[in-house]
Amino acid sequence: MNISQIFPLPGILRREFAGYSLAAFQKDLLAGITVGAVALPLALAFGIASGATPAAGLVTAIISGLVIGGLSGAPYQISGPTGAMSAVLIVVAGRHGIQGVLVVGFLAGFMILLIGIFRLGKVVSLIPRPVITGFTSGIAVIISVGQIDNLLGIKTPAAENTLAKLLGYLQGNLPVAWQSILCGLIVTIAIFLLPKAITRRVPGSLIGLVTATLIAQYFGFSLPVIGDIPQTILLDDRLKIGASMLTSIPGLLVPALSVAALGGIESLLCGAVCANATGKKMDSNQELIAQGLGNMLIPLFGGVPATAAIARSSVGVSSGGQTRVVSIVQGLLMLACVFLLGPIIAHVPLAALAGVLIATAVKMNEWEEIRWMIQHGFRSAIFTFAITMLATAWLDLTQAIIIGMALSTLGFVFRSSTVTVERKEVDLGTLQKLGHAIRSVHPDISVIYVTGPMFFAAAESLRESFAEHSDNRMVILSMRGVALIDLSGLEVIEELWKRQRKQGGELMLAAVQPAVRAVLDRSRLTAEIGEQNFFWSADRAILAANELLMATA
């Protein structure tokens, strides 16, 4: 392993800024401002949705824009607080308070950093798509239900989980404040219904927030608002490293693992989407190192965990962004908002932010993926998606991923258990066409063609098929279609070999793939069957079997 593999960032930066010009900087500057306009309402909203404050969301956007963006494994990644993270963190905040959220962020950052350092980025990508789609939709449900109080202008008791909270809303007559609903509707209408010609220049969420705030101020609505934004990025509620933090770690390892998995998955998915759009490949391990370091640093300032966000990154790409300067400009713009726009932001109604979050939750569902699964009738994928979504809303992300992975694994095993065993009569004409000088074939030869993995799930069907087709003295097992074999598959072959030897016959293996041959060699089967009974192809095995039978006739 050379130095560029261990420390890839210098090489990434050299390639990224080769030939960088003033014109490219101007494009980056404009793209960064555009991304900042999109990120501002989301940072405020996700700060609250994470169980922290709008100021914590701004701090997260600032640090992640400067640090994670600066160290990223790709030029287009824009990181910050996200809806997926907030769904996990709101539960942590309810159980452990804001310090619990900060400790979880730090631990998750350390875990992500280790994954990047040890170059294990591909491990994160092993979670199947139906599971990712399911918990994304489950997170959308959590975000939406979590904002109903702010949208209606009410305060309801806490519930055990999101589904219980939703049932509580459906059962009771709720006193709603029409002013709150109006503010939320203004924002959602601006996000979904404004013409693209307008929203391409100014994000609909920003237009909606400004409009709702102006209306609330003009008509004197008495609504809960964001409140004071501290004019600092070093918040009072920041991570305190000490004995209390160390004692809290054991109880926070599981949620930290959830946040680390989610952060890694979102960042790598974002990178994959933007890589397809730009043609620029991302160094996944460097990206995880950047995410890890950033998330260890953010809690020290009082921010919540961050990850790369597809929506913001896509805006940067579509706005003409060329390099990571886009992320840095966006971070600096968020910093300017803290010091210059704090008094204005303080008057934004929480109902307006609820509108932003609910609209974001609707948009974050992978509708194309869901539609594709349904249209193509992939029942196991649909079932895995639905169960994962319900588990996310009912239990928590970690359990949902485990359940989803278990269902996906079972589905894969079930589909893979289909193995085809076909017996074919020896065709003399075919052998002669292959160039073999043979005049007759002994009738006591059978060739069994196996297609599919020979593993535990297929073992019983293999036994039954071999019992039906192994009534000749010479049985040739053609295994070109077998790419995998496990202990159960070995046992089935051994049983067939013993049955042949017991009845005075022989077992020959043909066209064994290298991976399967390696497993056979490691077991005692190669020695028991004999090297002389392994052949490159079925026709050569037939010739050898025919010669043996003719010699003993």
Side-chain angles (χ1 to χ4, degrees), residues 224-283:
V225 295
I226 285 178
D228 293 337
I229 300 291
Q231 292 187 312
T232 177
I233 61 170
L234 195 63
L235 304 180
D236 291 335
D237 282 328
R238 58 184 184 273
L239 181 62
K240 308 292 195 305
I241 297 178
S244 60
M245 172 190 166
L246 295 175
T247 56
S248 68
I249 287 176
L252 295 171
L253 283 175
V254 172
L257 184 61
S258 297
V259 170
L262 188 55
I265 292 165
E266 276 208 289
S267 297
L268 296 184
L269 281 176
C270 178
V273 170
C274 293
N276 289 336
T278 63
K280 298 176 181 177
K281 188 178 178 181
M282 179 182 71
D283 188 308

Side-chain angles (χ1 to χ4, degrees), residues 366-437:
E366 298 180 35
W367 297 112
E368 286 298 323
E369 184 84 15
I370 296 168
R371 191 179 299 113
W372 190 87
M373 285 189 293
I374 293 172
Q375 285 177 345
H376 289 80
F378 289 113
R379 287 175 293 181
S380 62
I382 295 167
F383 181 73
T384 300
F385 156 76
I387 294 298
T388 306
M389 180 180 69
L390 290 172
T392 303
W394 185 23
L395 304 170
D396 62 40
L397 182 64
T398 307
Q399 292 171 299
I401 290 178
I402 292 171
I403 291 170
M405 287 291 288
L407 289 173
S408 294
T409 303
L410 285 173
F412 175 77
V413 170
F414 179 76
R415 291 190 301 273
S416 300
S417 64
T418 302
V419 61
T420 303
V421 178
E422 184 179 5
R423 176 177 174 175
K424 290 186 178 180
E425 297 299 325
V426 178
D427 188 342
L428 178 61
T430 302
L431 290 172
Q432 290 172 341
K433 286 179 183 179
L434 290 173
H436 299 302

Side-chain angles (χ1 to χ4, degrees), residues 10 32 73 89 162 192 212 248 312 331 334 451 485 547:
L89 297 172
T162 298
F192 287 114
S248 68
R312 277 159 269 182
M334 294 292 104
T451 304
I485 191 168
E547 188 176 339

Side-chain angles (χ1 to χ4, degrees), residues 34 56 60 91 174 176 209 267 283 421 423 485 494 525 543 547:
T34 304
T60 305
V91 177
L174 304 174
V176 299
L209 278 184
S267 297
D283 188 308
V421 178
R423 176 177 174 175
I485 191 168
E494 184 177 36
L525 268 178
L543 293 175
E547 188 176 339

Side-chain angles (χ1 to χ4, degrees), residues 98-115:
I98 186 61
Q99 280 297 309
V101 171
L102 299 175
V103 173
V104 162
F106 185 88
L107 293 175
F110 182 67
M111 293 175 185
I112 296 172
L113 177 62
L114 291 179
I115 293 172

Side-chain angles (χ1 to χ4, degrees), residues 131-156:
V131 178
I132 294 174
T133 305
F135 75 67
T136 300
S137 294
I139 286 165
V141 172
I142 293 172
I143 292 171
S144 300
V145 174
Q147 292 305 308
I148 292 176
D149 274 13
N150 286 336
L151 183 65
L152 300 180
I154 59 176
K155 185 67 176 176
T156 57

